Amino acid sequence: MDAKDAPRPEEEWPLPPSWMWSCHECNRLYRAMKRAPEVVEAARAAGEPGVDYDPFDSVVTTQIRLAQHIATAHTSEVPAVDPACERCVSDTSGRRIRDEMVLEHRARHLFAPPRIVGFM
């Protein structure tokens, strides 16, 4: 592997904090989230071209479910605003955004690569 093949920091999946592993629901949701892309890719590889093998957007929804769980069940563990994250900074700009959505976004910093955290 040369330098161009090495993963970039913004694409690295972070190691979740230890408290997530002691929560049964966090553990279940995290494992489902990590398996979802493999399940979809396996179905795509075994199926016909042009078919949507992730019609319920399980890759995205598993991330949303985990973020929602953390935001509601582990609110005190949600990280503070990351000044390097445009979305975190924009959430503090005074616009009227639902508090739950702000917490869900910040919860994604715990388990998703920086490259995709800002998408939601």
Side-chain angles (χ1 to χ4, degrees):
M1 170 166 46
D2 57 21
K4 69 178 179 171
D5 295 328
R8 297 185 311 216
E10 66 272 10
E11 295 177 359
E12 290 284 326
W13 286 83
L15 183 62
S18 59
W19 59 262
M20 281 181 63
W21 300 117
S22 62
C23 171
H24 173 73
E25 191 65 5
C26 281
N27 200 329
R28 185 184 72 76
L29 292 168
Y30 182 81
R31 290 179 192 280
M33 177 197 71
K34 292 300 281 185
R35 275 194 304 266
E38 296 169 9
V39 170
V40 171
E41 189 52 40
R44 187 175 292 128
E48 298 177 28
V51 175
D52 182 0
Y53 290 98
D54 192 12
F56 301 109
D57 294 322
S58 59
V59 172
V60 174
T61 56
T62 56
Q63 293 178 23
I64 292 170
R65 281 191 209 111
L66 178 55
Q68 287 173 335
H69 168 72
I70 293 170
T72 58
H74 305 286
T75 307
S76 64
E77 302 290 349
V78 172
V81 170
D82 178 353
C85 174
E86 290 181 29
R87 171 73 189 270
C88 280
V89 172
S90 73
D91 287 348
T92 62
S93 68
R95 294 185 332 202
R96 298 291 293 159
I97 300 174
R98 285 189 18 228
D99 290 340
E100 301 89 24
M101 293 181 77
V102 171
L103 290 174
E104 288 170 20
H105 163 77
R106 289 177 19 211
R108 290 170 53 81
H109 283 281
L110 295 169
F111 62 82
R115 174 180 60 82
I116 66 171
V117 167
F119 293 156
M120 291 188 257

